[in-house]
């Protein structure tokens, strides 16, 4: 198969083939290889017709020349038409001259073009088309112009197969632009293989089309392998470069150095990258305000920088730049666009605050304090209400004594000079101050200017005289008095003076405050004397001064106050004192115990202390020893043969001045492992009753004797009485409207109990039961108790029930006794009680108490003794007629109205 041949743009023309013979010869009598090309009769400009091997003819070629101006030869041997060519003859030739100037060799190539017409025949079915394993047809590089103007359809190239020399071949294509989007952009002539484009193409949408060409015979046989046919769309500069933002905003500090970066602008171009169409160039078209150029932009990167150090916010605080970007590397025919760049100049502290004048004057009366005497205005061109504008004032000279203070008024930025410490006219009539001013922010100018970054002014303050009272100077005056000095000892006291006369005459003194009232003051001279004995150890803390407040008054009643600080000189009047009183030594794990002492005197009369055993018995000296531990402590140790017991050991301690004291220590040598064990035992054994405890015990004993005496008297009185007490029923029978159990009673072993009846306490066991007096129906309730006789329960003036006869303390149970239990308990006791009621004082039977029982008939509502019957109510009351006379008194008591 032959390679595809370029075609003419003129369609419909008849094609003729020419046969040319290329004759290669050398002027140096050396022959070169000849080449033969088949070309159409019409050729378009810039179409390749073939390629020759120049190196095979001449190894080194530095000059190539064609003898026919219609053809040009490239360095790689490609032969192109210089313009459109029409071959009218069957043969045409031209010569290619090759020269090597270094070797001075020249060769010529004669090119002969031949046009030949062949008769094609159809392939029989049984005839096989020779298909070579090496495919010979290949695409000539093809491209088309973006946004081409036509005419359409636009011829691109011709595709041919070698089989077309012998058979009738039909051509077809597929791929994007044919049967894929965009559809029907390309088509190929079936018979000729001419490839056409139907409409303009935008490279930014499609930059290349990869088509596939097919060659087949009439019966569908593939005459050759499918041929890839790429079509590249050549870029046209049809897209303007565009800035990424329409308006850029940047900030730059004023007084910036030259070359300071302000910001970066950027643009994009949709045309083909790495071509002149996308090579952009930046520039500044216009600057507003139109001052000398302050900014520049890098043409390739778009970085904006400063080119002048005259950038001053106080002159212009904002600049506007019109930025331009142009492709084709900024050539005049390139496409361009613009954007706006706004640059804000930020304030810097490049202007010093300055005083409006160099000298100021002010006046103030002496002794005035916290008063404003002067306001100092300044000027500053920097941005208002910023750290670059706000002022800081400083007093540089003249305020060594701290009388003045200067501050800044935040609203007006003025310096406010005030007096914070009283001035004295007698000391100084005027004060000269040097004031300096700076900003809160540091100055940003060059180093040469920083040497003068503080503006200064002088302020003269005149002090006015004032008729003032006495002055207590110094305010605190010191004196020294020896401890334990005799009462009435005189010492120099406090002294004030008149500032006008510098004299103390005419002043009176008075003590305003004396904590212990130890000192009195002479009203005229101010000298002091002791009114009591001074004790240094009373002052807390002991090393502090004893302060007395003194008032000095002049003749006009003006006054001042001062402090008289009394230093009390210590005297050794306090011996050392041992801190411990009681010590416990566990012999099992303790060989000694440490004791310590303190001295209330000063250190001069204090430690080191000397400890010793004082006036001890031989036994103590034999068993105990004392040794020094440090200046204030000693160690008390025992011998191993010491017994377990409590020892009383006198210990003497002496201070450095020789004052001593003795203290007897209680030392418990104990058989223990922890001293706490012995301390708890000793504490329980050492309980001592106080006077109130003893008094309480005595009162308790007296109360007990009174109770016993009352019981004895009651028993004697009961034995002397002959008749049964009239209120026995009242004591023993309690009105009850309920069938519930009676009140609970608890009796003790000695007959006492506690019974709650209507919230009152009874001293003895209460009633045996409860009942209704005066003939009402009565009920008798029992509780369990001991069995004793009534005689043993008697007492003087008291009527007892059977509850008081118990042998021990019994708590009332909630349940009732059965009838048989109650009967067995009450029968013998009621009989004994009635027997005693029938006796007189001499214990003789008496008939005065026996009365006739008035029976009211069967079914009488007076069932006063029904509960005492051995029978139930349903058995009748006939048994009452057979009762003995001893029940008469009980019946009368139960039915009494």
């Amino acid at each position: 198969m032959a390679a595809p041949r370029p075609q003419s743009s003129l369609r419909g023309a008849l094609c003729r083939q020419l046969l040319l013979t290329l004759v290669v010869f050398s002027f140096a009598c050396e022959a070169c290889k000849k080449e033969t090309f088949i070309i159409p009769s019409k050729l378009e400009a810039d179409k390749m017709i073939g390629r020759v091997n120049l190196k095979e003819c001449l190894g080194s070629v530095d000059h190539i020349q064609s003898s026919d101006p219609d053809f040009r030869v490239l360095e790689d041997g490609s032969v192109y038409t210089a313009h459109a060519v029409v071959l009218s003859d069957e043969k045409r030739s031209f010569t290619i001259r090759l020269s090597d100037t270094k070797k001075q060799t020249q060769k010529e190539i004669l090119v002969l073009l031949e046009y030949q017409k062949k008769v094609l025949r159809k392939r029989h079915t049984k005839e096989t088309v020779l298909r070579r394993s090496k495919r010979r047809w290949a695409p000539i590089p093809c491209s088309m112009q973006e946004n081409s103007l036509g005419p359409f359809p636009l011829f691109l190239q011709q595709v041919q197969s070698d089989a077309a020399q012998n058979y009738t071949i039909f051509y077809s294509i597929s791929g994007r632009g044919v049967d894929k989007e965009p559809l029907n952009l390309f088509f190929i002539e079936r018979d000729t293989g001419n490839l056409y484009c139907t409409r303009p193409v935008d490279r930014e949408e499609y930059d290349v089309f990869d088509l596939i060409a097919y060659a087949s015979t009439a019966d569908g046989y593939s005459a050759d392998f499918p041929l890839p046919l790429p079509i590249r769309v050549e870029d046209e500069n049809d897209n303007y470069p565009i800035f990424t933002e329409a308006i850029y905003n940047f900030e730059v500090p004023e007084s910036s150095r030259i070359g300071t970066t302000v910001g970066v602008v950027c643009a994009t171009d949709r045309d083909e990258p790495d071509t002149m169409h996308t090579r952009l160039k930046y520039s500044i078209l216009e600057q507003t305000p139109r001052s000398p150029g302050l900014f520049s932009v890098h043409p390739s990167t778009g970085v904006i920088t400063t080119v002048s150090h005259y950038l001053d916010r106080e002159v212009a605080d904002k600049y506007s730049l019109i930025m331009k970007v142009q492709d084709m590397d900024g050539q005049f025919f390139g496409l361009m666009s613009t954007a706006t760049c706004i640059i804000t100049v930020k304030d810097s502290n490049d202007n010093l605050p300055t005083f409006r004048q160099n000298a100021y004057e002010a006046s103030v009366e002496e002794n005035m304090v916290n008063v404003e005497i002067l306001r100092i205005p300044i000027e500053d061109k920097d941005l208002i209400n910023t750290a670059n504008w706000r002022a800081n004032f400083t007093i540089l000279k003249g305020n060594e004594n701290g009388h003045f203070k200067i501050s800044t008024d935040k609203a007006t930025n003025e310096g406010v000079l005030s007096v914070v410490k009283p001035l004295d006219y007698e000391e100084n009539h005027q004060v000269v101050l040097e004031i300096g001013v700076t900003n809160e922010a540091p100055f940003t100018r060059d180093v040469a200017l920083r040497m003068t970054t503080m503006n200064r002014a002088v302020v003269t303050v005149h002090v006015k005289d004032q008729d003032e009272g006495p002055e207590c100077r110094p305010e605190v005056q010191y004196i020294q008095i020896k401890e334990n000095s005799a009462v009435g000892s005189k010492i120099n006291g406090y002294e004030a003076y008149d500032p006008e006369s510098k004299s103390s005459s005419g002043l009176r003194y008075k003590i305003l405050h004396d904590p212990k009232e130890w000192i009195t003051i002479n009203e005229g001279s101010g000298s002091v004397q002791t009114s009591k004995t001074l004790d240094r150890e009373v002052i807390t803390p002991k090393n502090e001064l004893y302060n007395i407040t003194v008032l000095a008054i002049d003749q006009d009643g003006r006054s001042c106050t001062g402090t008289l600080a009394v230093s009390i000189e210590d005297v050794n009047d306090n011996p050392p004192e041992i801190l411990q009183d009681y010590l416990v030594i566990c012999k099992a794990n303790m060989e000694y115990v440490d004791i310590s002492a303190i001295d209330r005197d000063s250190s001069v009369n204090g430690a080191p202390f000397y400890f010793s055993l004082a006036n001890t018995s031989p036994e103590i000296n034999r068993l105990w020893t004392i040794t020094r531990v440090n200046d204030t402590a000693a160690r008390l140790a025992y011998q191993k043969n010491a017994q377990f017991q409590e020892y009383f050991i006198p210990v003497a301690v002496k201070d450095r001045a020789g004052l001593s004291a003795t203290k007897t220590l209680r030392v418990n040598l104990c058989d223990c492992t922890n001293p706490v064990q012995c301390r708890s035992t000793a504490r329980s054994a050492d309980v001592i009753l106080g006077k109130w405890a003893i008094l309480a015990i005595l009162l308790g004993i007296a109360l007990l004797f009174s109770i016993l005496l009352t019981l004895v008297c009651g028993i004697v009185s009961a034995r002397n009485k002959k008749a049964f007490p009239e209120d026995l029923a009242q004591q023993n029978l309690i009105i009850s409207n309920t069938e519930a159990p009676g009140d609970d009673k608890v009796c003790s072993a000695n007959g006492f109990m506690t019974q709650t009846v209507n919230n009152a306490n009874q001293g003895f066991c209460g009633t045996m039961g409860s009942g209704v007096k005066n003939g009402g129906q009565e009920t008798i309730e029992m509780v369990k108790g001991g069995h004793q006789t009534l005689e043993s329960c008697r007492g003087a003036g008291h009527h007892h029930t059977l509850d008081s006869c118990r042998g021990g303390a019994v708590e009332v149970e909630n349940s009732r006794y059965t009838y048989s239990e109650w009967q067995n308990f009450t029968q013998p006791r009621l009989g004994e009680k009635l027997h005693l009621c029938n006796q007189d004082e001499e214990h003789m039977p008496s008939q005065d108490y026996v009365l006739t029982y008035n029976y009211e008939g069967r079914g009488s509502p007076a069932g006063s003794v029904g509960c005492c019957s051995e029978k139930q109510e349903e058995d009748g009351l006939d048994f009452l007629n057979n009762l003995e006379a001893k029940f008469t008194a009980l019946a009368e008591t139960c039915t009494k109205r």
Side-chain angles (χ1 to χ4, degrees):
M1 297 178 65
R5 269 61 171 179
Q7 298 293 324
S8 167
S9 61
L10 300 178
R11 291 175 306 196
L14 296 176
C15 296
R16 296 176 303 170
Q17 291 183 342
L18 299 176
L19 181 63
L20 299 177
T21 303
L22 178 63
V23 179
V24 181
F25 64 95
S26 171
F27 289 102
C29 300
E30 295 180 1
C32 293
K33 178 183 178 181
K34 70 177 180 179
E35 298 284 345
T36 302
F37 298 102
I38 297 175
I39 61 174
S41 60
K42 293 183 180 180
L43 298 174
E44 292 183 352
D46 295 328
K47 296 295 181 180
M48 188 177 73
I49 62 175
R51 178 179 296 175
V52 296
N53 193 344
L54 301 180
K55 291 185 179 181
E56 185 179 355
C57 180
L58 185 62
S60 177
V61 179
D62 54 10
H63 181 71
I64 302 173
Q65 183 179 3
S66 174
S67 62
D68 192 339
D70 292 338
F71 302 94
R72 57 188 179 87
V73 182
L74 302 183
E75 293 180 355
D76 61 349
S78 299
V79 181
Y80 284 83
T81 57
H83 48 78
V85 177
V86 177
L87 296 179
S88 56
D89 300 331
E90 292 184 358
K91 293 183 179 181
R92 185 173 176 174
S93 63
F94 64 92
T95 302
I96 300 176
R97 295 185 181 89
L98 305 177
S99 302
D100 186 354
T101 56
K102 292 181 180 181
K103 296 182 179 180
Q104 295 183 354
T105 302
Q106 185 177 6
K107 291 186 179 182
E108 289 186 357
I109 300 176
L110 179 65
V111 178
L112 179 64
L113 302 178
E114 182 181 24
Y115 175 79
Q116 184 178 2
K117 190 183 257 189
K118 294 184 178 181
V119 179
L120 300 179
R121 59 186 179 87
K122 293 184 179 180
R123 185 185 73 89
H124 296 288
T125 304
K126 296 182 180 180
E127 184 179 3
T128 303
V129 178
L130 179 62
R131 178 180 294 176
R132 300 176 183 270
S133 59
K134 182 178 179 181
R135 191 177 66 190
R136 295 178 57 193
W137 73 323
I140 297 176
C142 180
S143 64
M144 60 178 296
Q145 190 69 30
E146 177 187 15
N147 301 325
S148 175
L149 299 178
F152 294 101
L154 179 65
F155 173 78
L156 298 179
Q157 70 173 353
Q158 183 183 25
V159 178
Q160 282 191 345
S161 174
D162 287 348
Q165 298 179 5
N166 300 315
Y167 304 99
T168 301
I169 299 299
F170 299 99
Y171 300 95
S172 63
I173 58 176
S174 66
R176 189 174 67 173
V178 180
D179 53 359
K180 297 180 181 178
E181 290 292 337
L183 298 175
N184 302 323
L185 180 61
F186 301 98
F187 71 91
I188 191 171
E189 289 183 347
R190 183 170 179 268
D191 297 329
T192 63
N194 293 334
L195 181 64
Y196 295 92
C197 178
T198 61
R199 57 183 181 272
V201 179
D202 187 0
R203 190 207 67 84
E204 285 70 42
E205 188 175 1
Y206 305 103
D207 57 347
V208 66
F209 295 93
D210 294 316
L211 305 181
I212 303 296
Y214 305 94
S216 60
T217 59
D219 56 358
Y221 180 80
S222 295
D224 215 326
F225 293 103
L227 176 69
L229 191 63
I231 298 177
R232 180 177 173 272
V233 180
E234 294 183 357
D235 183 47
E236 182 183 24
N237 191 19
D238 58 340
N239 290 279
Y240 286 81
I242 300 175
F243 282 99
T244 56
E245 296 182 24
I247 299 177
Y248 291 89
N249 289 280
F250 302 120
E251 291 183 347
V252 60
E254 63 175 331
S255 303
S256 296
R257 296 179 179 272
I258 296 177
T260 301
T261 299
V262 178
V264 180
V265 295
C266 183
T268 59
D269 196 322
R270 295 182 60 199
D271 288 326
E272 186 174 0
D274 301 325
T275 63
M276 291 294 290
H277 299 163
T278 56
R279 185 174 295 180
L280 307 181
K281 188 173 184 178
Y282 300 92
S283 60
I284 299 175
L285 287 181
E286 182 181 350
Q287 173 184 303
T288 305
R290 296 179 178 275
S291 59
L294 300 177
F295 307 97
S296 68
V297 62
H298 192 281
S300 300
T301 63
V303 177
I304 301 174
T305 57
T306 59
V307 294
S308 174
H309 59 269
Y310 294 108
L311 195 63
D312 192 351
R313 188 202 66 83
E314 287 72 36
V315 175
D317 62 351
K318 190 172 292 187
Y319 291 88
S320 177
L321 304 179
I322 304 299
M323 307 299 300
K324 182 185 80 170
V325 61
Q326 190 171 17
D327 58 16
M328 302 300 292
D329 200 19
Q331 299 184 44
F332 68 93
F333 51 82
L335 303 178
M336 60 166 286
S337 63
T338 60
T340 302
C341 180
I342 298 176
I343 301 175
T344 302
V345 181
K346 296 168 58 179
D347 184 47
S348 299
N349 190 18
D350 57 343
N351 293 281
L352 291 174
T354 58
F355 292 104
R356 294 182 181 178
Q357 57 192 65
N358 295 328
Y360 298 88
E361 290 189 2
S363 61
V364 62
E365 293 184 355
E366 65 173 335
N367 300 322
M368 298 293 290
V369 68
N370 294 328
V371 292
E372 177 185 320
I373 62 173
L374 181 65
R375 281 183 168 262
I376 307 174
I378 63 160
E379 293 181 353
D380 197 321
K381 296 179 181 179
D382 290 320
L383 188 62
I384 296 176
N385 293 326
T386 63
N388 302 326
W389 175 80
R390 288 190 290 268
N392 281 338
F393 294 89
T394 306
I395 301 177
L396 302 176
K397 295 180 182 179
N399 193 34
E400 288 77 11
N401 296 325
H403 291 284
F404 302 93
K405 182 187 74 172
I406 190 167
S407 59
T408 304
D409 188 328
K410 301 300 182 182
T412 62
N413 211 29
E414 294 176 323
V416 181
L417 184 63
S418 305
V419 177
V420 294
K421 186 178 178 181
L423 293 166
D424 190 351
Y425 175 81
E426 286 72 26
E427 291 184 357
N428 205 344
H429 296 343
Q430 71 176 20
V431 181
V432 178
L433 304 175
E434 185 177 358
I435 309 296
V437 62
T438 58
N439 290 121
E440 291 183 1
F443 192 63
T444 58
R445 285 288 180 91
D446 296 335
V447 178
L449 293 177
R450 293 180 186 176
M451 302 301 295
T452 58
T453 55
M454 181 176 291
N455 196 260
R456 303 169 185 241
V458 176
V459 178
T460 303
V461 180
H462 300 281
V463 182
K464 296 181 180 180
D465 188 21
Q466 213 178 33
D467 188 10
E468 51 194 345
E471 291 188 358
C472 296
R473 291 188 182 180
E475 184 178 353
V476 180
Q477 300 180 18
Y478 299 89
I479 62 174
Q480 186 171 355
I481 304 176
K482 200 167 188 178
E483 184 183 13
N484 299 331
S485 297
V487 176
S489 300
K490 293 185 179 181
I491 308 98
N492 292 332
Y494 196 87
E495 184 179 7
Y497 67 94
D498 188 344
E500 307 295 336
S501 62
K502 302 295 182 180
S503 173
S504 299
S505 60
L507 299 180
R508 294 179 295 110
Y509 298 91
K510 184 179 180 180
I511 292 180
L512 292 181
H513 178 66
D514 182 0
K516 303 295 181 181
E517 297 181 355
W518 285 344
I519 304 296
T520 59
I521 192 168
N522 186 286
E523 184 176 353
S525 63
S527 62
V528 297
Q529 65 181 12
T530 60
S531 60
K532 296 180 181 179
T533 302
L534 277 63
D535 189 356
R536 190 194 70 88
E537 286 72 37
V538 174
I539 304 175
T540 304
K542 299 178 181 60
N543 294 328
E544 284 195 357
L545 298 174
Y546 181 71
N547 295 324
I548 301 172
T549 305
V550 179
L551 177 68
I553 310 171
D554 64 6
Q555 296 177 356
D556 296 330
R558 292 170 295 191
S559 64
C560 68
T561 58
T563 301
L564 184 63
V566 181
S567 176
I568 301 177
E569 183 180 353
D570 183 43
V571 176
N572 191 15
D573 57 347
N574 292 281
E577 180 182 355
I578 298 177
L579 298 178
Q580 292 80 10
D581 294 316
Y582 177 73
L583 301 170
V584 178
I585 301 177
C586 290
K587 193 173 181 180
N589 54 14
M590 296 175 61
E591 297 181 356
Y592 57 84
V593 65
D594 290 340
I595 59 175
S596 59
I598 60 171
D599 196 329
R600 299 174 62 194
D601 291 323
S602 64
S603 58
V604 178
N605 298 317
F609 301 142
Y610 304 94
F611 295 86
S612 62
L613 297 177
N615 300 325
T616 57
S617 62
E619 182 184 2
I620 297 298
N621 288 329
R622 180 175 58 85
L623 297 177
W624 296 90
T625 60
I626 189 167
T627 57
R628 181 179 182 273
V629 176
N630 53 37
D631 288 349
T632 60
R635 179 164 296 165
L636 188 62
Y638 61 90
Q639 300 298 327
K640 293 185 178 180
N641 57 351
Q643 301 298 321
F644 295 111
Q645 67 178 58
E646 188 174 280
Y647 296 88
F648 294 88
I649 305 174
V651 178
V653 58
K654 182 172 59 175
D655 60 20
R656 66 164 63 188
L659 189 62
S660 65
T662 302
K663 186 175 184 180
T664 301
L665 302 178
R666 291 174 55 210
V667 181
N668 187 358
L669 186 60
C670 183
D671 184 12
C672 61
T673 58
N674 192 331
V676 178
Q677 300 172 355
C678 289
R679 286 196 182 98
S680 60
T681 304
R683 190 177 300 113
S684 62
D686 292 343
V687 174
I688 299 175
L689 295 177
K691 57 183 180 179
W692 294 108
I694 296 174
L695 181 59
I697 293 174
L698 293 177
L699 291 176
I701 294 173
L703 180 60
L704 180 60
F705 275 108
S706 63
I707 293 173
L708 293 177
L709 181 61
T710 303
L711 290 175
V712 172
C713 294
I715 293 172
V716 173
S717 176
R719 289 180 178 178
N720 293 333
K721 289 183 181 180
K722 298 179 179 180
F724 190 79
E726 291 182 357
D727 60 348
L728 180 61
Q730 297 179 3
Q731 293 289 337
N732 293 332
L733 301 177
I734 302 174
I735 297 175
S736 176
N737 294 326
T738 178
E739 295 179 2
D743 298 299
D744 294 339
K745 309 167 189 66
V746 179
C747 294
S748 63
N750 57 8
F752 288 88
M753 70 164 293
T754 301
Q755 175 187 13
T756 304
V757 179
N758 296 330
N759 298 326
N761 293 330
Q762 301 293 333
F764 300 98
C765 289
T767 62
M768 180 178 69
S770 59
V772 180
K773 296 172 60 180
N774 300 327
Q777 186 174 351
E778 51 189 85
T779 303
I780 299 177
E781 296 178 350
M782 283 283 300
V783 293
K784 293 180 181 180
H787 302 282
Q788 297 186 13
T789 63
L790 182 63
E791 185 69 23
S792 63
C793 296
R794 281 194 171 185
H798 296 276
H799 310 290
H800 302 281
T801 67
L802 295 177
D803 287 334
S804 63
C805 304
R806 298 179 184 176
V810 180
E811 186 172 346
V812 178
E813 297 179 357
N814 293 331
S815 60
R816 292 293 184 270
Y817 287 94
T818 62
Y819 181 79
S820 60
E821 291 177 342
W822 176 85
Q823 178 69 22
N824 294 334
F825 180 84
T826 58
Q827 188 68 23
R829 287 163 176 76
L830 288 177
E832 183 182 4
K833 191 171 185 180
L834 291 177
H835 175 71
L836 293 176
C837 291
N838 288 331
Q839 295 177 355
D840 55 9
E841 296 178 353
E842 298 177 356
H843 301 283
M844 297 300 292
S846 175
Q847 298 300 326
D848 297 339
Y849 293 98
V850 180
L851 301 177
T852 303
Y853 180 75
N854 294 326
Y855 177 67
E856 296 180 359
R858 184 182 297 275
S860 173
S864 58
V865 294
C867 59
C868 301
S869 176
E870 294 181 356
K871 300 180 180 180
Q872 301 298 329
E873 288 184 358
E874 58 269 22
D875 295 335
L877 301 175
D878 295 337
F879 72 95
L880 294 175
N881 298 325
N882 301 322
L883 293 176
E884 298 177 358
K886 60 184 179 181
F887 286 93
T888 304
L890 179 60
E892 181 183 3
T893 301
C894 294
T895 58
K896 184 179 179 180
R897 298 297 182 186

